[in-house]
Amino acid sequence: MKYVLLMMGNLADDRCGEAEEGPGEEDFIAFDAELEKAGVLAGGFALSEPEEGTSITRASAEAEPVITAGPYTESREFVGGTIILDVPSLDEALAWAAKCPGAIGGRVEVRPLVEY
């Protein structure tokens, strides 16, 4: 089954590689290599800065879209990237998520992918 690791950050915190104690790009590259070597890496991507995002919402099918610059306005968290794992169980996905550099000072949400 495939699971996505949503690597969450806080808008007020240092970004990847900006703080000496936090993970840097090389930590994520090494983690990807470990996942690939284990045969569980099924995809993923990094996202640009959350301020570069644009959100669109519509109150109903007939309503005009409302466009908002930046990340979710009601939250201080943002998604910084994803990793897709192909593993046999949630327990294994959680074990990999615990090793993810994004969990250090951030948060990793693990969610099963829906297959239609």
Side-chain angles (χ1 to χ4, degrees):
M1 180 167 201
K2 291 183 180 170
Y3 295 87
V4 63
L5 308 185
L6 298 168
M7 293 173 281
M8 315 291 281
N10 190 304
L11 292 173
D13 291 345
D14 292 325
R15 302 294 161 81
C16 179
E18 289 183 347
E20 287 186 29
E21 66 274 2
E25 290 178 16
E26 66 282 355
D27 297 306
F28 286 94
I29 292 169
F31 184 60
D32 281 353
E34 185 179 354
L35 294 170
E36 192 165 10
K37 184 177 178 184
V40 299
L41 183 62
F45 50 85
L47 297 170
S48 65
E49 296 298 321
E51 292 81 4
E52 295 178 28
T54 304
S55 299
I56 297 177
T57 184
R58 294 172 60 191
S60 68
E62 296 76 30
E64 291 294 317
V66 176
I67 300 172
T68 306
Y72 304 116
T73 56
E74 301 297 326
S75 175
R76 302 296 307 154
E77 285 190 322
F78 64 93
V79 179
T82 68
I83 296 174
I84 299 172
L85 304 177
D86 191 355
V87 292
S89 69
L90 174 61
D91 287 342
E92 189 169 336
L94 292 172
W96 282 112
K99 294 180 180 180
C100 179
I104 302 167
R107 187 168 66 88
V108 177
E109 179 179 336
V110 178
R111 193 181 306 176
L113 293 183
V114 176
E115 296 182 30
Y116 295 102

